[in-house]
Amino acid sequence: EALKVLKKVHLQRHYLPAAEMKKALKTAGADPKIIELAEEVVHRCPACRLWLPMPAQPNSRITQAGEFNILIIIDNIFDGKFAALAVIDEGSYLGQGEMIEGRDEHELWRALVACWVRHHGSPITCRCDQEFVGDWFASKCEELDIVLELTGGEAHNAVGIMNPFVRQVKAVLHRLLQDEKEDITAARWAELLAMSIHAWTATRSGEALHMRWLSGGSTATSSTSPVRA
């Protein structure tokens, strides 16, 4: 009922602006709740809406993707009796993983070559925990002209993008494991791991690659060095 009365006043006063309506109502001693309705009346008025300024849009944040295969980060994913090497590209957010048997550096190198180098070529830099690898692993990186960047703690804590990657992959993996009715085999766990990583890639990596394409950036790998495992 109050809206109808205010609408009538608005029209009789030749489409009085909201600020002037509020001032007039306040002078007349109207209830504060009625005064607040004045702005709604003006915004509902078809004639006034033609002249109202567009509402300010909230600031949006766009993740800027970098060049692909410039910097990769590696870490482990542990899940009960199984484990995997996790690899993520800082520029594109592309994630990969390979099942491993223990943390022996020879096994870690095998997994890195299998899930990343063989498909994308040698990255410029590989970042990981200083306790993650040894001299042999470092020598293999040197053979492929990969700069090994060691951090003073777990890689996913030292580098932000690895942390959400591992967290999401493990969350999806645990959800998939709940649907398994029998004891999980290593082969089946590897399949579920691949599905979990794909869930990440389909969201984060796709967005980053799209942004780089829009900005005219390259989507090609940075290096095509031959693999010498």
Side-chain angles (χ1 to χ4, degrees):
E1 185 67 28
L3 285 173
K4 290 182 179 179
V5 174
L6 290 177
K7 182 179 179 180
K8 186 176 181 180
V9 172
H10 177 62
L11 295 175
Q12 289 177 344
R13 295 286 181 172
H14 305 287
Y15 304 101
L16 198 64
E20 293 186 22
M21 278 190 67
K22 287 183 177 181
K23 184 177 180 180
L25 290 169
K26 187 176 181 180
T27 302
D31 187 280
K33 294 182 179 179
I34 300 296
I35 296 175
E36 291 302 318
L37 291 175
E39 196 163 332
E40 183 179 348
V41 170
V42 175
H43 277 274
R44 287 187 177 187
C45 175
C48 291
R49 273 163 48 183
L50 294 174
W51 306 103
L52 287 174
M54 292 292 292
Q57 298 298 316
N59 293 331
S60 59
R61 299 184 63 183
I62 300 176
T63 301
Q64 298 295 329
E67 291 296 323
F68 178 71
N69 217 16
I70 295 296
L71 170 63
I72 65 169
I73 306 155
I74 62 176
D75 197 10
N76 283 331
I77 296 177
F78 292 104
D79 183 70
K81 61 181 180 178
F82 301 115
L85 176 74
V87 185
I88 189 166
D89 177 66
E90 189 182 59
S92 67
Y93 305 149
L94 175 65
Q96 297 289 345
E98 178 76 8
M99 201 168 177
I100 56 175
E101 298 180 3
R103 292 186 59 173
D104 175 77
E105 61 180 340
H106 292 78
E107 175 65 4
L108 296 176
W109 178 256
R110 179 204 64 78
L112 178 61
V113 170
C115 74
W116 191 270
V117 180
R118 218 176 274 284
H119 300 286
H120 309 297
S122 301
I124 300 299
T125 302
C126 176
R127 182 181 295 165
C128 65
D129 177 11
Q130 61 186 1
E131 299 180 357
F132 198 79
V133 298
D135 294 338
W136 185 87
F137 189 99
S139 67
K140 299 301 290 185
C141 287
E142 187 175 356
E143 287 181 11
L144 297 184
D145 297 322
I146 301 172
V147 177
L148 188 59
E149 185 177 305
L150 303 178
T151 62
E154 292 188 351
H156 63 265
N157 288 332
V159 185
I161 191 62
M162 177 59 82
N163 193 26
F165 173 56
V166 171
R167 185 169 61 245
Q168 178 173 318
V169 168
K170 291 183 71 173
V172 175
L173 181 61
H174 290 168
R175 178 63 184 87
L176 294 175
L177 287 171
Q178 291 177 1
D179 296 333
E180 296 295 310
K181 298 180 180 180
E182 301 178 357
D183 289 338
I184 193 74
T185 63
R188 180 57 177 162
W189 190 86
E191 290 179 1
L192 298 181
L193 173 68
M195 294 170 61
S196 304
I197 292 174
H198 177 73
W200 164 276
T201 301
T203 53
R204 299 297 298 273
S205 179
E207 293 172 2
L209 288 171
H210 180 62
M211 285 307 304
R212 186 166 65 256
W213 178 79
L214 289 176
S215 62
S218 171
T219 58
T221 58
S222 302
S223 173
T224 56
S225 301
V227 177
R228 298 187 294 274

